[in-house]
Amino acid sequence: MTTLQEIIVILSDLKQSLIAFHGVNPVYPPPNKSETMARVEEYIKLVVAAISRGDWPLQLPIHGSDKMMTWKAANQRRKCLLLFHLLAKSHALLRTNTTSTKRDIYYEDVSLWGNQPVLDSTVTQMTRLLNIPRRCLNIGATSKGLVAGSLNFLDGDGKLVDCQSPTGILIPNDVERLSHFRSKAFHILLVEKDSTFQKLIDDKIESFIGECILITGKGYPDVNTRRFLRRLWDELQLPALALVDADPHGISILAVYRFGSQNLEDIEHLSTPQLRFIGLQPSDIEPLHIPDEAKLPLTQRDRSLIDSLAQRPSVTENQLLHEQLVVLRRLDCKVEIQGLTKIHPQFLSRTYLPAKIQSKSWI
């Protein structure tokens, strides 16, 4: 474990390197990076000064606001030190113009972080303190999302990536460096679950709805999958349609893609407001006569999530989406996308999606 004294040494050395790095005639990186570098340096100096004075509880101003971030409980001392350590790491990445994923940083010093969630929460805390998106700090996330279908692009090294794959390909970590997107698709179909994603590929969904691009974040999406979807829409201007479970968690996932999460990272333009909810809509449950064995009762946790979603401004301002939550409450049940196989094994590919797209029955 990194001790307080070791942190002081790290930051003191770093403070000296700032002076050496800038010199008399500094050569600054591009504007966005220089601003980021300056802000990181500002907070490193604040930290060095606070530690030198022996301040505790420790308070630091959240950049761009009149709020403060405070560490005062005894068990917060370690969290505080980890944050300072991450500031130093980010500065080193910026100074050397290199990037690193959260996973890489974790494995560089497993004993320091203890587990991945500790690092993840520290990164989020740092972005909130600095009021800067994570990607601007040269810290990336490891992708878990997949993409398949009529799409090719050049990766960060200029290599052609063809997404015509029977199982999908992993969305690259360096989404910002992708270029030259090419596609013959008519739609982008965002799928909540990997199992549904694979079934649509196996069913040759393009035979029923035309050429398309399939994306899945395998449940609640990671940052790269969200950013990749947004980039696809920006580059190709194709209709983006979301296929999620008819339950509060499915609608919550839709909301993350469409409106953004509650985290500061959403200033990175991670949301895709043009995304439309094609299914499985709660209002489809009764008209489709979905068998009872495919229906599951809502839990108390489900009901609480419905209430929470219904209070979000982005949802209350969208009457049609809000009505879907009302329907869920009234039916007091939920249906997963796989429940459509109870009607017919290929009902989703052969009937449901083609009919929805043809009638433009999306929200």
Side-chain angles (χ1 to χ4, degrees), residues 111-253:
S111 61
L112 171 66
W113 298 106
N115 57 65
Q116 184 73 48
V118 169
L119 171 61
D120 293 344
S121 63
T122 307
V123 170
T124 299
Q125 188 178 51
M126 181 172 69
T127 62
R128 288 175 175 167
L129 179 66
L130 299 176
N131 199 13
I132 289 179
R134 173 174 47 74
R135 68 179 176 85
C136 292
L137 295 165
N138 283 18
I139 299 176
T142 302
S143 288
K144 66 169 183 172
L146 298 173
V147 58
S150 175
L151 175 69
N152 60 65
F153 53 83
L154 298 183
D155 66 14
D157 297 321
K159 179 182 177 182
L160 180 66
V161 178
D162 187 350
C163 300
Q164 297 278 7
S165 164
T167 57
I169 67 165
L170 195 65
I171 292 173
N173 290 328
D174 53 349
V175 174
E176 298 302 324
R177 297 178 63 202
L178 307 182
S179 63
H180 295 82
F181 290 85
R182 298 289 183 270
S183 176
K184 295 180 180 179
F186 298 101
H187 311 281
I188 300 169
L189 188 58
L190 174 72
V191 184
E192 175 183 346
K193 295 178 178 176
D194 183 35
S195 57
T196 305
F197 175 86
Q198 297 298 338
K199 179 170 176 52
L200 291 174
I201 294 176
D202 294 342
D203 286 353
K204 299 188 184 305
I205 184 62
E206 68 277 4
S207 299
F208 305 105
I209 66 171
E211 293 290 345
C212 63
I213 301 169
L214 295 175
I215 299 176
T216 181
K218 300 181 181 178
Y220 277 92
D222 59 286
V223 168
N224 280 345
T225 303
R226 294 166 59 196
R227 182 60 184 143
F228 185 74
L229 174 65
R230 176 57 185 263
R231 282 218 62 193
L232 277 187
W233 193 90
D234 287 341
E235 297 285 342
L236 303 175
Q237 298 286 297
L238 294 174
L241 309 172
L243 180 65
V244 300
D245 290 339
D247 67 11
H249 293 282
I251 295 177
S252 177
I253 288 170

Side-chain angles (χ1 to χ4, degrees), residues 192-345:
E192 175 183 346
K193 295 178 178 176
D194 183 35
S195 57
T196 305
F197 175 86
Q198 297 298 338
K199 179 170 176 52
L200 291 174
I201 294 176
D202 294 342
D203 286 353
K204 299 188 184 305
I205 184 62
E206 68 277 4
S207 299
F208 305 105
I209 66 171
E211 293 290 345
C212 63
I213 301 169
L214 295 175
I215 299 176
T216 181
K218 300 181 181 178
Y220 277 92
D222 59 286
V223 168
N224 280 345
T225 303
R226 294 166 59 196
R227 182 60 184 143
F228 185 74
L229 174 65
R230 176 57 185 263
R231 282 218 62 193
L232 277 187
W233 193 90
D234 287 341
E235 297 285 342
L236 303 175
Q237 298 286 297
L238 294 174
L241 309 172
L243 180 65
V244 300
D245 290 339
D247 67 11
H249 293 282
I251 295 177
S252 177
I253 288 170
L254 165 71
V256 170
Y257 279 110
R258 182 165 169 175
F259 306 118
S261 71
Q262 306 303 305
N263 290 335
L264 173 75
E265 290 180 331
D266 288 339
I267 64 177
E268 296 181 80
H269 305 298
L270 298 177
S271 60
T272 305
Q274 301 81 7
L275 181 66
R276 293 298 175 257
F277 183 17
I278 193 170
L280 180 62
Q281 296 169 8
S283 58
D284 291 335
I285 294 175
E286 290 179 309
L288 290 176
H289 302 291
I290 295 175
D292 289 341
E293 60 264 32
K295 300 174 184 177
L296 299 170
L298 293 179
T299 65
Q300 186 54 50
R301 183 180 178 186
D302 290 330
R303 296 186 189 97
S304 297
L305 181 53
I306 290 174
D307 294 342
S308 174
L309 287 168
Q311 294 174 8
R312 294 185 188 178
S314 56
V315 175
T316 57
E317 292 169 4
N318 188 313
Q319 183 180 354
L320 294 178
L321 185 56
H322 189 270
E323 286 175 359
Q324 296 302 311
L325 295 172
V326 174
V327 172
L328 266 182
R329 265 293 202 175
R330 177 176 61 80
L331 296 176
D332 199 34
C333 72
K334 56 188 177 182
V335 178
E336 296 182 342
I337 299 169
Q338 295 92 322
L340 295 180
T341 60
K342 299 294 184 181
I343 300 175
H344 185 277

